[in-house]
Amino acid sequence: MSSEQTVSAQAAPKGIATGLLLATLGAIAFSGKAIIVKLGYRYGADAVLLLMLRMLFALPIFLVMAWWAGRGKAPLSRRDWWGVLGLGFSGYYLSSYLDFAGLQYITASLERLILYLNPTLVVIFGWVVYKRSITLGQLAGMGLSYCGVLLVFGHELGAQGSHAAWGAFLVLASAISYAVYLIYSGEMVRRLGSLRLVGLATSVACLFCIAQYFVVRDVASLQLVPREVLWLSLLNAVLCTAAPVLMVMMAIERIGPGLTAQTGMIGPLSTILMGVWLLDEGFNRWMLVGTCLVMGGILLFTRKARRAAG
């Protein structure tokens, strides 16, 4: 074996370990968003304010991301800009606002389980819009996952009443909005690249969120925002918004999308643990069984895709 082959063989396990660590940290960081939003509500903030502050702090990061990914590449056409505008509205502005609004009424744990159904929504849209077939394995996985969410939702509905139904509806609408983004972003990802598209679309979403605040709120109200809300929003923007995007992309480069997706299944578990620890959310047998059903169902649902990608 040559010296170059020896170095490559030694570097491979390190690359896999680094990729797994990045995928794990990215999944945990993504799931922390709901926890920070719930903490912000305790200081009297609402969804419009928290979303605006998160996007305001994240905007410089996303602009740099878009600039970096677009270096040396052709400028966007008018069609591309319209595509970025639509995807930014659906995938990052509307879905984020609905998610933040829903978190006012349900636990962070239920929110994460509903959002974790996103791959099933993409396949359902593909079946409706593009007439793509759905396999028996996918149907079985979907059945398990939706039963798990309904189990947790039913328990929360009994504990909190109609507020839980409204919150779950908003979060489900958020997941649907993001699924629309995923369905229609494929062609633009191939033309622009994933990092450039994410940077541009999220920058557009940031502008939507900032504009929304100044349309529905008085500018002077910013002077009354508690300092804790500002720090939480900065943490949300950096640690739970921009950093996870980069970590997951770096993980995919090292271990591939299949293994990265499997590692990402730690997300719902980390949300539940942080909810119990930081928010004093209850953990019971309904949550345990529901979470196992959702994660098992998604694992079964994505099995074929993971084999192809990994």
Side-chain angles (χ1 to χ4, degrees), residues 7 42 56 70 107 118 120 148 181 194 221 224 231 267:
V7 171
R42 293 184 175 182
L56 179 66
T107 61
N118 196 263
T120 69
Y181 162 81
S194 59
S221 64
L224 304 176
W231 283 111

Side-chain angles (χ1 to χ4, degrees), residues 30-304:
F30 267 131
S31 64
K33 174 262 301 176
I35 306 299
I36 292 178
V37 171
K38 297 286 282 187
L39 289 172
Y41 287 146
R42 293 184 175 182
Y43 291 98
D46 63 4
V48 174
L49 174 62
L50 290 176
L51 185 58
M52 186 279 292
L53 290 174
R54 175 205 190 195
M55 293 307 212
L56 179 66
F57 290 135
L59 179 57
I61 301 174
F62 288 130
L63 288 174
V64 170
M65 185 187 300
W67 167 78
W68 179 270
R71 292 175 305 152
K73 296 183 180 179
L76 271 64
S77 65
R78 178 178 298 182
R79 177 189 174 192
D80 289 332
W81 277 117
W82 278 112
V84 167
L85 187 68
L87 293 175
F89 179 87
S90 172
Y92 294 103
Y93 162 68
L94 183 60
S95 65
S96 295
Y97 175 70
L98 293 170
D99 182 34
F100 276 44
L103 277 167
Q104 295 178 93
Y105 307 104
I106 62 174
T107 61
S109 302
L110 178 56
E111 179 257 9
R112 181 50 48 182
L113 291 180
I114 294 174
L115 292 183
Y116 208 63
L117 298 175
N118 196 263
T120 69
L121 297 174
V122 172
V123 169
I124 291 173
F125 274 119
W127 174 65
V128 172
V129 177
Y130 299 111
K131 309 302 180 185
R132 295 171 181 165
S133 60
I134 301 178
T135 66
L136 290 177
Q138 288 176 324
L139 286 174
M142 289 166 64
L144 280 177
S145 299
Y146 283 89
C147 283
V149 170
L150 287 174
L151 186 66
V152 177
F153 169 70
H155 178 264
E156 196 155 319
L157 184 64
Q160 300 188 35
S162 59
H163 291 299
W166 177 240
F169 171 78
L170 290 173
V171 175
L172 180 61
S174 167
I176 292 173
S177 180
Y178 191 71
V180 171
Y181 162 81
L182 293 176
I183 285 289
Y184 289 104
S185 64
E187 180 185 351
M188 292 201 66
V189 167
R190 288 189 290 271
R191 287 206 310 272
L192 304 181
S194 59
L195 186 60
R196 190 183 187 190
L197 178 59
V198 168
L200 290 170
T202 47
S203 297
V204 166
C206 289
L207 297 178
F208 276 124
C209 295
I210 295 169
Q212 179 190 32
Y213 180 85
F214 289 111
V215 168
V216 302
R217 294 285 188 274
D218 186 357
V219 177
S221 64
L222 286 174
Q223 299 177 359
L224 304 176
V225 176
R227 183 178 301 176
E228 292 84 356
V229 171
L230 294 175
W231 283 111
L232 285 170
S233 298
L234 179 60
L235 184 65
N236 198 356
V238 177
L239 187 62
C240 301
T241 303
V245 171
L246 296 176
M247 286 190 286
V248 169
M249 287 187 173
M250 292 168 66
I252 290 174
E253 290 178 354
R254 289 165 172 78
I255 60 177
L259 190 52
T260 300
Q262 291 184 57
T263 307
M265 295 189 73
I266 197 174
L269 292 177
S270 63
T271 301
I272 292 172
L273 293 175
M274 286 189 287
V276 173
W277 174 37
L278 297 172
L279 302 175
D280 297 321
E281 292 184 351
F283 183 75
N284 49 57
R285 63 181 181 274
W286 304 105
M287 180 63 68
L288 176 62
V289 174
T291 301
C292 290
L293 286 174
V294 172
M295 296 181 66
I298 295 299
L299 191 63
L300 176 63
F301 180 85
T302 58
R303 180 176 58 181
K304 183 177 179 181

